[in-house]
Amino acid sequence: MTTSLADVASSNVTLRTFLHGLPGVDRVGADQRAAMLGTRSIKTTAKAEAIDLAIRMVDLTTLEGADTPGKVRAMCAKAVHPDPGDPSVPKVAAVCVYPDLVAQAVDALKGSGVKVASVATSFPSGRSSLDVKTTETAFAVAAGADEIDMVIDRGAFLAGDYVKVFEEIVAIKAACGAAHLKVILETGELSTYDNVRRASWLAMLAGGDFIKTSTGKVQPAATLPVTLIMLEAVRDFLATTGRKVGVKPAGGIRTTKDAVKMLVLVNETVGEGWLSPDWFRLGASTLLNDLLMQRQKMATGRYAGPDYFTLD
Amino acid sequence: MSKTERPSRARASAELAAEGPGERAQSRDSVRLAVRKTYKLYIGGAFPRSESGRSYVVTSSKGDFLANASKASRKDARDAVTAARKAFGGWSGATPYNRGQILYRVAEMLESRRAQFVAELSESGTKKAGEVVDAAVDRLVWYAGWADKIAAVTGSTNPVAGPYFNISSPEPTGVVAVVAPDEPLLGLISVIAPVIVTGNTCVVIASERAPLPSITLAEVLATSDLPAGVVNILTGSVKEIAPWLAAHMDVNALDLTGVGDENLAITCEEAAAENLKRVFRPTGADWSADPGTRRLTAFLETKTVWHPTGA
């Protein structure tokens, strides 16, 4: 591995040499390790803590063409009081909306401590000019977004034009100002685990504060092995550069079991340092209700039903 | 093949059979190991083993080993409720005519497995098993016929003091948890059929003593166009599973027909009160008698709508 990372991005050749010099991913090994960690049994008090931690890590997301200001306000209310009948339920980490609805979300969440994240850069495809992308980012930040979820240019990445991807992330990072930048790799379109590892390093080298698996619009989304590879990348990146980067799996995490598996993966791969909403997030919409149902089951001793939680 | 060839071939094979090799074949037959059937649960149209990995020994009425049955856990019950809830939308939305057709199809498939059921029922100690299977088939056909008639019988148009139509019609309740009676086939059919024919879906705890015919019935259901999840069958300890279903907030009604233990019935009734489940707890059942519509109406709720007559 290159000793000085400063000039890695000086040209496409050096960047390519570096990224392709990363050790390859053992696909079978990664799948098996993720599957093995997924069999861990988390029960009773540990499960109760895991559920609360998972709720605190949720980025409650609505990214539909049909989103209305009313729907965003309702979701923000849920973000602050996930279960109105139980004040002991913690708040979620953030809500995630489209840029034009950031203002509504900021207004609804004022003073609550829940952050507002906005997707940007022609989400979900990322197919537009850099100007449009930076303008959209600046628009979301001006509206009050605390975090920006950008998508990388998968077309350029797959074509081997790593510098283009790199420079785009740098430009968006600059447009973010004080806002945190999450870089969506859209692993479902990257074909191989090797590409996931390369894209992770590329995003971190370019200055991303978080790396995020998916937009949620492409299947497969946040699988366990892909999350494992990204966690290994942030661990190695910290060891190499001293900078800590967060990870956000998003899309396809629907049950408490899925979420707890993710937490086990974090603990076993990068350790407790990442077991906090500052460093690990779960992008989800339906997951929250399942977490609440499991929480209620643990509190009351009987299985909960979806009739008693909000439809969203 | 010409006609003249046939007798000679038959004769040849008869001669062959009478010779030594025939005897050898017979002795091979006698050492052939029996193919033991693995009885599993029936959840969401699939036959999974219990999540807990447990099983229990089922014996014949004489105490001989029959098979190992899965011993369902509360998590299997939870999965079954999830499957039943998932199936409810489609099943309750199907036309009554369609539901009747499917029940009739179940009766057809049951009829075609008559011999198997007669054998299984006899092993579990049922007397006159042939008549019982016939009665079960007839019971299914009888309930199938009710599918498109029950609304006409229990619904009504109500006279009201205004220029409106006022119509009451029966609607399915939702997911029904059923504790099946200790009557392996006729009793089981008699509790399942009235629940599902009106559009409910169900989770059934089979007879603890004789669970094997219920899983064979599941094989019938799985091949009868009945959508996955409409009927889910659990085998195991009633005492262990029933309270979990009674307390489950996503179960809408409870049929305690098969609960013999008074204390268990009271526990279940108390748990069911939490989300106001409909509870059906009949006393004394003669499965050979005319069932009437009591079981059909127990799991229906009435929807009344007002409609302006217009003009």
Side-chain angles (χ1 to χ4, degrees):
Chain A
M1 201 175 283
T2 326
T3 42
S4 163
L5 287 173
D7 48 346
V8 153
S10 58
S11 77
N12 211 7
V13 175
T14 51
L15 197 52
R16 187 185 178 82
T17 309
F18 172 76
L19 292 177
H20 285 257
L22 289 168
V25 180
D26 168 7
R27 173 174 273 273
V28 174
D31 284 344
Q32 283 188 344
R33 172 136 181 92
M36 187 270 283
L37 290 174
T39 61
R40 289 279 170 86
S41 184
I42 308 292
K43 300 285 181 208
T44 62
T45 48
K47 185 176 178 186
E49 281 203 24
I51 288 173
D52 277 9
L53 179 59
I55 292 174
R56 290 199 291 123
M57 286 175 168
V58 165
D59 275 11
L60 200 55
T61 305
T62 182
L63 295 169
E64 303 292 334
D67 287 347
T68 59
K71 186 177 176 192
V72 170
R73 272 200 304 279
M75 194 181 75
C76 290
K78 186 165 181 170
V80 183
H81 303 290
D83 184 353
D86 183 354
S88 69
V89 179
K91 291 187 273 245
V92 306
V95 300
C96 184
V97 295
Y98 271 119
D100 61 328
L101 292 165
V102 167
Q104 267 87 9
V106 168
D107 188 45
L109 292 170
K110 210 174 287 167
S112 68
V114 177
K115 293 197 162 63
V116 177
S118 169
V119 296
T121 70
S122 301
F123 180 91
S125 67
R127 301 247 69 88
S128 193
S129 72
L130 184 57
D131 274 354
V132 169
K133 292 179 184 179
T134 49
T135 310
E136 194 184 15
T137 307
F139 167 70
V141 172
D146 305 298
E147 301 168 358
I148 296 294
D149 290 24
M150 72 166 288
V151 289
I152 63 165
D153 185 342
R154 279 89 73 190
F157 181 88
L158 292 171
D161 195 351
Y162 299 128
V163 159
K164 186 176 178 210
V165 181
F166 182 92
E167 285 174 350
E168 209 167 85
I169 299 172
V170 170
I172 303 295
K173 173 74 183 166
C176 281
H180 264 237
L181 178 65
K182 302 193 203 113
V183 183
I184 304 173
L185 310 180
E186 194 62 298
T187 53
E189 290 183 345
L190 296 184
S191 309
T192 66
Y193 288 174
D194 285 343
N195 276 345
V196 173
R197 178 169 282 173
R198 287 172 195 145
S200 301
W201 275 87
L202 184 61
M204 292 186 290
L205 287 170
D209 299 302
F210 256 76
I211 51 176
K212 174 174 167 182
T213 59
S214 336
T215 60
K217 307 286 186 197
V218 170
Q219 289 299 327
T223 62
L224 282 175
V226 154
T227 312
L228 172 70
I229 290 160
M230 289 168 63
L231 284 165
E232 285 172 351
V234 299
R235 178 195 62 197
D236 297 345
F237 189 76
L238 176 67
T240 313
T241 66
R243 189 166 80 85
K244 192 171 172 182
V245 174
V247 177
K248 174 178 171 185
I253 310 166
R254 295 202 175 83
T255 64
T256 301
K257 201 169 232 177
D258 293 340
V260 172
K261 282 179 187 174
M262 287 289 180
L263 296 182
V264 170
L265 207 59
V266 172
N267 195 47
E268 295 298 320
T269 312
V270 288
E272 282 183 35
W274 265 266
L275 279 177
S276 130
D278 294 336
W279 300 108
F280 194 76
R281 296 280 182 84
L282 297 161
S285 43
T286 50
L287 169 67
L288 185 57
N289 269 4
D290 198 66
L291 287 166
L292 294 174
M293 283 202 283
Q294 286 287 326
R295 201 177 186 280
Q296 202 174 75
K297 152 77 175 56
M298 301 200 76
T300 62
R302 58 172 183 264
Y303 287 117
D307 287 356
Y308 304 90
F309 296 91
T310 56
L311 277 173
D312 36 27
Chain B
M1 189 193 294
S2 73
K3 276 183 180 180
T4 51
E5 275 176 353
R6 268 192 204 145
S8 64
R9 276 198 157 203
R11 207 180 306 124
S13 61
E15 281 164 10
L16 243 170
E19 283 170 12
E23 276 171 28
R24 269 215 304 278
Q26 212 168 34
S27 67
R28 262 208 305 275
D29 269 352
S30 64
V31 297
R32 181 179 172 268
L33 291 172
V35 177
R36 287 249 168 89
K37 184 163 151 187
T38 309
Y39 289 85
K40 295 186 275 188
L41 308 174
Y42 182 53
I43 299 174
F47 291 88
R49 286 186 170 79
S50 169
E51 158 277 338
S52 63
R54 301 175 304 173
S55 62
Y56 71 109
V57 172
V58 178
T59 55
S60 72
S61 52
K62 294 186 192 104
D64 300 329
F65 174 85
L66 282 181
N68 289 309
S70 279
K71 192 172 184 189
S73 69
R74 62 182 166 88
K75 290 190 180 175
D76 294 312
R78 176 201 60 188
D79 293 348
V81 171
T82 308
R85 174 59 62 196
K86 201 171 155 205
F88 180 69
W91 183 243
S92 60
T95 61
Y97 172 76
N98 185 222
R99 288 199 296 264
Q101 290 284 299
I102 289 173
L103 248 71
Y104 191 82
R105 174 81 176 150
V106 175
E108 283 175 11
M109 301 305 282
L110 186 57
E111 177 77 37
S112 69
R113 289 220 197 190
R114 191 175 181 283
Q116 186 185 1
F117 277 102
V118 169
E120 277 191 2
L121 289 178
S122 304
E123 280 174 342
S124 68
T126 303
K127 304 242 163 43
K128 295 182 181 168
E131 286 173 28
V132 171
V133 176
D134 292 343
V137 174
D138 294 349
R139 182 72 34 98
L140 264 172
V141 173
W142 189 81
Y143 273 119
W146 271 108
D148 52 3
K149 300 172 187 69
I150 189 73
V153 174
T154 61
S156 60
T157 52
N158 315 311
V160 287
Y164 301 101
F165 283 134
N166 186 280
I167 303 158
S168 295
S169 65
E171 298 270 311
T173 292
V175 175
V176 182
V178 180
V179 182
D182 211 358
E183 182 86 19
L185 186 65
L186 183 56
L188 184 65
I189 292 284
S190 300
V191 294
I192 293 177
V195 168
I196 62 172
V197 73
T198 54
N200 298 297
T201 57
C202 64
V203 177
V204 182
I205 309 176
S207 159
E208 196 171 335
R209 180 186 61 84
L212 306 186
S214 67
I215 295 304
T216 308
L217 178 69
E219 290 164 9
V220 168
L221 299 174
T223 49
S224 311
D225 302 334
L226 190 75
V230 171
V231 175
N232 304 277
I233 299 178
L234 306 172
T235 57
S237 161
V238 172
K239 197 170 179 164
E240 182 191 335
I241 313 167
W244 286 99
L245 286 171
H248 199 306
M249 297 295 274
D250 204 23
V251 171
N252 304 104
L254 191 60
D255 179 350
L256 294 175
T257 303
V259 177
D261 177 0
E262 179 73 16
N263 289 330
L264 179 61
I266 291 171
T267 306
C268 288
E269 283 180 330
E270 283 174 357
E274 189 63 40
N275 71 337
L276 307 178
K277 288 181 187 67
R278 280 162 196 280
V279 179
F280 184 64
R281 192 184 162 201
T283 47
D286 175 10
W287 300 110
S288 56
D290 173 5
T293 56
R294 192 171 62 137
R295 287 187 166 272
L296 287 165
T297 53
F299 305 107
L300 290 173
E301 37 197 69
T302 303
K303 179 174 78 180
T304 297
V305 290
W306 295 67
H307 189 278
T309 52

